[in-house]
Amino acid sequence: MAVPCAFFAVFFAYPVAAIVGRGLRSDGAWHLEGFREVLTDSGILHVLWFTGWQALASTALTLLIALPGAYVFARFEFPGKQLLRAVVTVPFVLPTVVVGTAFLAVLGRGGLLDDLWGVRLDSTVWSILLAHVFFNYAVVVRTVGGLWAGLDPRQEEAARMLGASRFTAWRRVTLPALGPAVAAAALMVFLFTFTSFGVVLILGGPTFATLEVEIYRQTAQSLALDTAAVLTLVQFAAVAGVLAVHAWTVRRRESALRLVDTATTARRPVGAGQWALLGGVLVSVLLLVVVPLAVLVERSFDTAQGYGLGYYRELTSTDGGAFLVPPVEAIGNSLQYALAATAIALVIGGLASAALTFTRGRSRPGRLVRGFDALLMLPLGVSAVTVGFGFLISLDKPPLDLRSSWILVPLAQALVGVPFVVRTMLPVLRAVDGRLREAAAVLGASPWQVWREVDFPLVRRALFVAAGFAFAVSLGEFGATVFIAQPDRPTLPVAVTTLLGRPGDLNYGQAMGLSTLLMVTCAVCLLLLERSRTDRTGEF
């Protein structure tokens, strides 16, 4: 646990503490009277209520829509499965401001629904909830589906042979086994929606605001660092409470599972019911994922002179004055940063997952490690604005003067990637029967050999899923990166947001073009990952 603890202490706890201290401490004294003023303000209380309510509603709606998709991807084999799996992950890497813009084009004035049926959903809570489902669909599909594909289907088949109906067998056998993965996915969705920023800022208008939006307004618009610091601590406390409840509930439901080669679990749909389920999932993916993405692509080609490549050609020049380099260079920058961030996240998250697994059951060390399990998720619940500012004001002196170093961006991105690595690998690692490790150790295997020969073959699929998540979130991370990315090395999300913030059809079209390139880049990388995983695991 030494390496993960040191990483989070230096690159998370220290920067966040520095920015909070800057807001609450002045003239050598702490000023805490702001807590009473902020927490008794009716406007702030409304923000707190809406933040929690919409996060719960978004999580429930995402699970309701995405769990059938997780089953289809885990158990069914159909043409284009790998491509579709990559497509549903693409929304997750898009900057939230782009997601908001896409849904505004579909649900807002002059959007697709307005043109077809005269229906507008912008500035309503439904537009926010649907955008959150669009953004987090892949979290459930890949996290739950990763474990579901490895479960032995013969256990459920045995229950049906003993007289249980299909639903009863699933509820009594499969659902309890999926409990930790479902809880992990629900936790990640809740944290992302609880801290939602760009989606609420664009689709909510002046009516709706989350804590993240309010922190941004207090910091960037009002320069009220004391209020922003109080809100950051409130958000931190709320997330810590949610993580504590999650850790307690998951511990009560953990059990050893029988995992099999994923190549034996996916089969062609049989019967009208299974074909109908596959069709329903494909329709939901089409409406919730493909249509908004198609709107972005269409707008990237819709120039003032008609459909063409005009906006894409402008990406190769600096005539617009928004960047020091051609905007197209952001693609290479993002890929380099994302690869470095993925490597860091896999090392830190892998070590943390192993420690959380192998110390389970030991009394005092076990309690300490379970506490650290909750702490690993805190980067998802702390304002990215706070983290970004914290990097700037804390990592500016030797031996940690990293402001001019390229590694600063991957470090910030890895903070968001590590929780996904842990939450993806941990349910599978804990599902491995400990007797297999004990038998290998009795036969003389070293701890490294036990990991290589017993654990790694069973968790290899989860490792690839974790790598895909870390890479995806690194490509799309914006909140912290916007403050620390160098002007001559912008990332794709930073470049897109910069263009969206400048007036004119040309800047908007270039932003849509870069968003399309980001989607294509993500889809290609994820498809390559799927093929690599197939080659190594035998899954088709």
Side-chain angles (χ1 to χ4, degrees):
M1 293 301 299
V3 174
C5 284
F7 178 81
F8 274 84
V10 174
F11 298 111
F12 176 68
Y14 176 51
V16 171
I19 192 65
V20 171
R22 182 71 63 91
L24 297 179
R25 182 180 175 88
S26 62
D27 300 326
W30 291 94
H31 302 278
L32 304 181
E33 60 274 5
F35 278 92
R36 182 181 59 83
E37 298 176 1
V38 171
L39 297 180
T40 56
D41 184 278
S42 59
I44 297 297
L45 292 177
H46 177 75
V47 169
L48 289 172
W49 176 86
F50 176 74
T51 301
W53 177 88
Q54 65 83 26
L56 289 173
S58 297
T59 303
L61 188 61
T62 302
L63 289 175
L64 179 66
I65 295 176
L67 280 177
Y71 174 78
V72 165
F73 281 107
R75 294 302 197 200
F76 290 172
E77 185 58 51
F78 54 90
K81 176 181 175 180
Q82 294 178 6
L83 177 60
L84 190 62
R85 195 200 304 267
V87 168
V88 299
T89 309
V90 169
F92 192 69
V93 307
L94 292 177
T96 53
V97 291
V98 177
V99 174
T101 303
F103 269 79
L104 194 63
V106 175
L107 305 176
R109 182 187 299 274
L112 185 61
L113 291 184
D114 193 15
D115 291 340
L116 293 178
W117 297 293
V119 176
R120 290 183 54 194
L121 296 177
D122 57 321
S123 297
T124 68
V125 71
W126 282 108
S127 63
I128 295 174
L129 297 180
L130 291 175
H132 283 162
V133 174
F134 167 83
F135 189 76
N136 294 291
Y137 187 90
V139 175
V140 178
V141 168
R142 298 185 75 91
T143 302
V144 179
L147 180 59
W148 208 334
L151 293 180
D152 191 347
R154 290 173 294 186
Q155 297 182 10
E156 187 173 323
E157 293 170 0
R160 296 203 59 198
M161 291 181 63
L162 294 175
S165 65
R166 183 182 297 275
F167 177 75
T168 301
W170 177 82
R171 180 175 58 87
R172 299 294 297 272
V173 178
T174 303
L175 184 58
L178 292 174
V182 173
L187 176 65
M188 288 188 285
V189 174
F190 180 86
L191 291 180
F192 269 104
T193 54
F194 188 81
T195 59
S196 182
F197 175 58
V199 168
V200 179
L201 187 67
I202 293 177
L203 296 177
T207 306
F208 302 106
T210 59
L211 273 174
E212 190 83 3
V213 173
E214 191 63 25
I215 291 172
Y216 168 76
R217 290 174 179 173
Q218 297 293 336
T219 302
Q221 299 178 5
S222 303
L223 296 180
L225 295 183
D226 53 347
T227 302
V230 172
L231 293 178
T232 297
L233 292 178
V234 170
Q235 188 179 57
F236 190 88
V239 170
V242 171
L243 294 176
V245 173
H246 169 267
W248 178 75
T249 56
V250 168
R251 272 201 315 275
R252 291 169 56 90
R253 302 176 65 180
E254 286 175 355
S255 61
L257 304 177
R258 183 175 181 180
L259 303 178
V260 298
D261 188 345
T262 57
T264 65
T265 62
R267 301 174 182 175
R268 185 180 178 87
V270 177
Q274 292 189 355
W275 280 108
L277 177 60
L278 175 60
V281 169
L282 293 179
V283 170
S284 67
V285 170
L286 174 65
L287 295 178
L288 286 173
V289 178
V290 177
V291 169
L293 297 181
V295 171
L296 287 180
V297 175
E298 185 270 336
R299 293 201 170 192
S300 71
F301 290 102
D302 188 10
T303 68
Q305 293 76 33
Y307 286 98
L309 299 176
Y311 292 144
Y312 289 93
R313 284 193 291 267
E314 292 294 331
L315 294 176
T316 61
S317 69
T318 58
D319 294 340
F323 304 98
L324 299 177
V325 296
V328 73
E329 291 190 11
I331 300 174
N333 299 335
S334 290
L335 290 176
Q336 294 174 20
Y337 289 143
L339 288 173
T342 300
I344 296 171
L346 287 177
V347 171
I348 302 300
L351 290 173
S353 299
L356 289 169
T357 301
F358 299 144
T359 57
R360 185 180 56 163
R362 303 177 187 176
S363 58
R364 291 185 61 84
R367 287 194 293 270
L368 292 174
V369 171
R370 287 196 297 268
F372 187 75
D373 182 12
L375 294 178
L376 290 171
M377 298 297 294
L378 287 179
L380 297 182
V382 173
S383 169
V385 174
T386 301
V387 175
F389 270 127
F391 267 52
L392 287 180
I393 69 172
S394 62
L395 303 180
D396 60 343
K397 297 178 182 178
L400 289 175
D401 188 2
L402 302 177
R403 288 179 301 175
S404 60
S405 174
W406 68 273
I407 196 63
L408 197 61
V409 173
L411 287 172
Q413 294 174 344
L415 281 174
V416 184
V418 168
F420 283 91
V421 174
V422 174
R423 294 272 72 85
T424 302
M425 295 188 62
L426 194 57
V428 181
L429 276 173
R430 286 179 170 174
V432 177
D433 194 336
R435 292 173 295 182
L436 297 176
R437 303 188 185 105
E438 296 169 0
V442 169
L443 294 175
S446 66
W448 166 247
Q449 289 176 317
V450 171
W451 162 257
R452 185 185 62 192
E453 301 296 335
V454 177
D455 290 279
F456 182 70
L458 293 174
V459 304
R460 182 164 47 193
R461 186 180 191 279
L463 183 64
F464 278 94
V465 173
F469 265 133
F471 186 82
V473 298
S474 298
L475 273 180
E477 204 286 322
F478 167 72
T481 305
V482 69
F483 297 104
I484 57 180
Q486 299 176 11
D488 59 342
R489 296 198 67 185
T491 63
L492 275 170
V494 171
V496 169
T497 307
T498 301
L499 290 169
L500 283 175
R502 296 170 65 90
D505 292 339
L506 177 59
N507 288 314
Y508 183 82
Q510 288 185 90
M512 295 300 100
L514 277 181
S515 298
T516 301
L517 292 176
L518 177 57
M519 288 189 290
V520 172
T521 301
C522 174
V524 170
C525 293
L526 292 174
L527 186 59
L528 290 176
L529 180 64
E530 290 289 334
R531 291 187 179 276
S532 176
R533 188 183 68 185
T534 299
D535 294 340
R536 292 177 181 270
T537 64
E539 183 190 43
F540 296 95

